[in-house]
Amino acid sequence: MVTMGQCYYNETIGFFYNNSGKELSSHWRPKDVVVVALGLTVSVLVLLTNLLVIAAIASNRRFHQPIYYLLGNLAAADLFAGVAYLFLMFHTGPRTARLSLEGWFVRQGLLDTSLTASVATLLAIAVERHRSVMAVQLHSRLPRGRVVLLIVGVWVSALGLGLLPAHSWHCLCALDRCSRMAPLLSRSYLAVWALSSLLVFLLMVAVYTRIFFYVRRRVQRMAEHVSCHPRYRETTLSLVKTVVIILGAFVVCWTPGQVVLLLDGLGCKSCNVLAVEKYFLLLAEANSLVNAVVYSCRDAEMRRTFRRLLCGLCLRRSTHESARYAPSTRTGASTRIMLPENGHPLMDSTL
């Protein structure tokens, strides 16, 4: 019998799942296998892609600039998200029932912290780009101190949202407030998380829309003083494409999850949120892979650095194999692969 005001710190995970009406499987169902297979695939891709981005930023001195600190922080947050989701995949399905309450909060906290850091960094990047464009300021001239403070602020807010549920924002003492998607968390936490992500999106829309109209107006003024300006249309279309890709990727990956979180947080009893929650969480996790493409792979200098790193790995591997199987005395000319020189000016292609 459940008593109002009583705390249930000694109960099992199954107790809270039964209270919320969320099924806790005792065996591997086909749906569980599909979700874990997709989740492991996405997690591995997220880890490899963001490790490559971090290695590129660390190895290329052209990227040792404040705006790339934020891109590196985004890759680190997404790498963390990949680790958190990988941890979830190894502790889901029938294994959920074997978790302690502390283990469940660790699993949930890792996800909440990493995804919050990723979303907050997206907003920080938008704010810094807005400031640099409005001030007609090169990314290399951005104050390092302010960028570092932004990064610290991102992780403080992420850790706050990630740690609060385990310490206070849970429903262990108020079972009537438990959510269905996360049976140990209060519905208000889910609602606040969803609304926070929605607010971030609206701010990003406002920031990138202002950047777009500002740059378009400047290009138009330049075109008025030049008899022929063939790149005006190309610049405008490129900017439109960039804004659509950035905002579109966020909408596609995050909106479905935000909607079900908000519906569950508002206590919608008729909404079948449990039928789609795992797939929408997987879609949100895929955003950590999309971020690497949208914010890093579209940069020409970054792509050259990727090729250099990957070719370097291939060359080291082939050299190692040749050393194993080649005779002790070698004759003939050696082949040297020349990589393109990085003589091009560093450009942020997303602008």
Side-chain angles (χ1 to χ4, degrees):
M1 180 177 177
V2 175
T3 305
M4 296 299 293
Q6 180 181 351
C7 293
Y8 298 88
Y9 295 112
N10 296 322
E11 294 292 345
T12 63
I13 293 295
F15 172 83
F16 293 96
Y17 274 64
N18 290 334
N19 173 70
S20 295
K22 185 174 184 178
E23 183 182 2
L24 194 59
S25 60
S26 58
H27 60 279
W28 287 100
R29 300 166 297 182
K31 181 177 72 171
D32 297 327
V33 175
V34 170
V35 169
V36 170
L38 290 174
L40 290 175
T41 302
V42 171
S43 297
V44 170
L45 290 175
V46 167
L47 292 174
L48 293 177
T49 305
N50 286 286
L51 276 174
L52 183 60
V53 172
I54 293 173
I57 293 174
S59 64
N60 192 334
R61 296 186 64 181
R62 290 174 178 264
F63 297 147
H64 296 178
Q65 300 174 12
I67 189 63
Y68 285 98
Y69 296 168
L70 287 172
L71 292 179
N73 189 66
L74 177 63
D78 288 334
L79 181 68
F80 184 20
V83 172
Y85 200 75
L86 195 63
F87 183 83
L88 172 65
M89 292 298 98
F90 284 110
H91 297 85
T92 191
R95 295 171 182 165
T96 301
R98 297 198 290 268
L99 289 173
S100 63
L101 297 188
E102 293 78 10
W104 190 94
F105 278 119
V106 168
R107 189 185 76 171
Q108 189 66 35
L110 288 173
L111 277 175
D112 293 344
T113 301
S114 60
L115 294 179
T116 300
S118 180
V119 171
T121 304
L122 294 179
L123 179 60
I125 291 172
V127 169
E128 278 306 301
R129 283 176 171 165
H130 176 270
R131 192 179 190 284
S132 63
V133 168
M134 295 302 166
V136 195
Q137 187 178 34
L138 294 174
H139 290 323
S140 58
R141 300 292 180 87
L142 292 176
R144 295 173 186 265
R146 190 179 69 248
V147 173
V148 171
L149 284 177
L150 275 175
I151 292 174
V152 171
V154 163
W155 286 103
V156 168
S157 61
L159 287 171
L161 277 176
L163 295 176
L164 269 177
H167 292 88
S168 58
W169 216 339
H170 52 68
C171 63
L172 304 187
C173 301
L175 297 183
D176 58 319
R177 299 178 186 174
C178 291
S179 65
R180 286 190 290 164
M181 291 174 58
L184 276 68
L185 300 185
S186 172
R187 289 195 303 271
S188 61
Y189 175 78
L190 269 64
V192 168
W193 208 99
L195 291 173
S196 299
S197 298
L198 177 61
L199 177 61
V200 167
F201 171 69
L202 293 177
L203 289 173
M204 287 174 61
V205 169
V207 168
Y208 282 114
T209 299
R210 191 155 189 264
I211 290 175
F212 168 73
F213 283 112
Y214 178 80
V215 173
R216 190 181 69 168
R217 188 165 59 250
R218 285 184 62 86
V219 173
Q220 286 176 335
R221 289 175 182 173
M222 291 171 58
E224 291 175 359
H225 300 285
V226 182
S227 58
C228 181
H229 200 285
R231 299 201 63 182
Y232 162 65
R233 180 178 175 81
E234 178 185 344
T235 302
T236 304
L237 290 176
S238 177
L239 191 57
V240 170
K241 180 181 177 182
T242 295
V243 172
V244 169
I245 290 174
I246 290 174
L247 299 180
F250 192 91
V251 169
V252 170
C253 293
W254 279 104
T255 301
Q258 290 172 2
V259 170
V260 295
L261 280 176
L262 190 57
L263 289 175
D264 192 16
L266 295 176
C268 179
K269 300 295 183 182
S270 60
C271 305
N272 192 14
V273 295
L274 297 179
V276 294
E277 56 147 347
K278 293 184 183 297
Y279 302 104
F280 287 173
L281 176 60
L282 178 62
L283 189 59
E285 175 62 26
N287 185 244
S288 295
L289 177 62
V290 174
N291 285 340
V293 177
V294 172
Y295 288 88
S296 296
C297 295
R298 296 182 67 241
D299 189 308
E301 180 70 17
M302 187 72 78
R303 290 196 300 271
R304 283 192 289 271
T305 306
F306 288 161
R307 286 195 294 269
R308 191 181 74 245
L309 288 173
L310 294 175
C311 289
L313 288 175
C314 294
L315 282 173
R316 281 196 293 270
R317 184 174 179 179
S318 62
T319 302
H320 178 70
E321 292 296 325
S322 299
R324 286 183 61 187
Y325 298 108
S328 57
T329 303
R330 297 180 57 185
T331 58
S334 61
T335 303
R336 186 180 181 186
I337 298 179
M338 299 296 292
L339 295 173
E341 293 293 330
N342 294 329
H344 298 81
L346 182 63
M347 297 181 65
D348 183 359
S349 63
T350 57
L351 283 179

